[in-house]
Amino acid sequence: MAHLQGKSVPTRFGIVVFPGFQALDAFGPLDALNSLAYYFPLDLSIIAATMDPVSTRPPNAPPQGNFSESIVPTHTFETAPPLDVLIVPGGRGTKDINVVQGVIDFVAKVYPSLKYLITVCTGSGIAARAGVLDGRRATTNKKAWAETTALRTEVKWVAHARWVVDGNIWTSSGVSAGLDVIFAFMEDVFGKEAADNVANGLEYERHTDSTWDPYAKIYNLKDSDA
Amino acid sequence: MAHLQGKSVPTRFGIVVFPGFQALDAFGPLDALNSLAYYFPLDLSIIAATMDPVSTRPPNAPPQGNFSESIVPTHTFETAPPLDVLIVPGGRGTKDINVVQGVIDFVAKVYPSLKYLITVCTGSGIAARAGVLDGRRATTNKKAWAETTALRTEVKWVAHARWVVDGNIWTSSGVSAGLDVIFAFMEDVFGKEAADNVANGLEYERHTDSTWDPYAKIYNLKDSDA
């Protein structure tokens, strides 16, 4: 923990990755935090099933071409250090239970020791299956709405939301919404000046209204308890 | 080359990476293309000085904490295959000539064989030093404007621009502008339907006006020939 104006702030960040994770789900929030790390002494652990590089290419990728990137883990689910904040991206890999069962188990195991859990896109489907969203309000990717919300009916799924905060869990809508949720989190926890400085450095025009969501309209979605 | 309504489209993409590259400069465009690759048979080569993983952490990183990510190259500057499109990200590493001289040399070598060159952020400083922007209009990161435009005065640097197209070279403003330039490129080359489908899938609200640029105003910038 570091201190900001007498308040302690989280410094130990982690992200889980798995084959078929969505690159921007991960690297939107991570790059905002890369910049924040120039103001605060932050550490990042990149956590996966094994120490082998993890590809954005899902097991069920189309046979045509090969357009993907691989990231290098720093820890496994067994060796991950204590964390203040865990980020869970989504992506096509979440559709394969064999790919994400280990991630689900890891989220269930470490959630009680976290200060914050942040999910992006269908990453909320992982958190939901870990049981940590039961009874909470949460959102997810809008194109994958039906299949993701069906994973756990105990969750109060909110359709019209760029992101949702319930307790210490921040869930965002699809892919690029990860940028908006991380900046909202950054403003709340590290202060508006830090969030504005980082957003201007990334030349990113934030959506600051958590209910902004043209994508829910595209797919004509309704809240799960509506 | 694949074909779209009788028109050939580029399929052989490459990106150069170097220590201290900016993660979102690379992964914004790459993730949009990851999605486009579900519609077209695209290939990606990730090209670096060696086959070792390449970190976003620059050589001159602050000693505090360690918040960075590493990507795995698929080719070196010597083994890179023929490319249709090359993407050049920026980042703090571009400030160190020892880090980027090999990248500059690679861009100078392959540019004549490319169909398109796309730079993000201070990646245009690499292209400028490779000499390929001489006499052309181009833009770059607005916070790093002074130091980047000073690298090559033969370039017609445009201050107020989200992105600039001159011939077959597309240059963008800082970091998140890489998303807007890749979608503008995608619309121009692969068609509006593809660009809209991918942007909606990423839940990304594009800036479609290339002159939109509140960041030039923040830093009170003027065009280099103004």
Side-chain angles (χ1 to χ4, degrees), chain A residues 68-81:
Chain A
S68 60
E69 306 85 42
S70 291
I71 185 174
V72 183
T74 63
H75 297 83
T76 68
F77 297 136
E78 285 72 36
T79 65

Side-chain angles (χ1 to χ4, degrees), chain A residues 16 38 53 158 163 179 198 213:
Chain A
V16 284
Y38 278 80
V158 181
W163 73 88
L179 280 162
V198 171
D213 190 0

